[in-house]
Amino acid sequence: MMCDEVIGEMVNSCMLMRTRLISRVLTNIYDEELRPFGINSAQFALLVVISKLAPATAAEIGRFHHQDKSTLTRNLKLMFAEGWIEEDAALASGRSRPIVLTQAGDHLLHAVSPAWKAGQARASALIGEAGADVITNVANGILYPRKAS
């Protein structure tokens, strides 16, 4: 009997289930908008992160993006193959090989901006202004945690 109560609570209020649902729906929106450019939402997000952090090592990118090594490596490998990113040999030292956008990657990031804006508009219409504010604030808290004073 108690187990049924817990399962009912899981069905009705599990944050994991809810956030994964939101993630899948929003990812599909952006994937649809970005598809004509030959890029998916995961690759787009990495391009944005690399653009922001560059030059940055794969480890730095993974830490900032809270992404596990195998998923990050798989996506970076594809992005290297597409010519969107490259290792900056001039900044390499030892095992550290900083990654930067190539000219093609920078061009792609700018070219997809109308598709990104369309995805933003669709996502915002779906979740509403309050939902968008909550998602932005939670994500910002994770990306830029406040230090205890």
Side-chain angles (χ1 to χ4, degrees), residues 22-70:
I22 293 166
S23 177
R24 285 189 303 273
V25 170
L26 294 181
T27 296
N28 286 336
I29 288 172
Y30 286 95
D31 280 346
E32 287 174 14
E33 297 294 341
L34 295 167
R35 189 170 293 117
F37 296 90
I39 188 170
N40 66 33
S41 57
Q43 296 156 355
F44 168 79
L46 274 176
L47 275 182
V48 172
V49 168
I50 293 167
S51 177
K52 175 183 175 37
L53 299 179
T57 64
E60 292 166 334
I61 293 163
R63 278 192 300 275
F64 180 85
H65 209 224
H66 291 263
Q67 195 162 38
D68 68 88
K69 187 175 179 177
S70 63

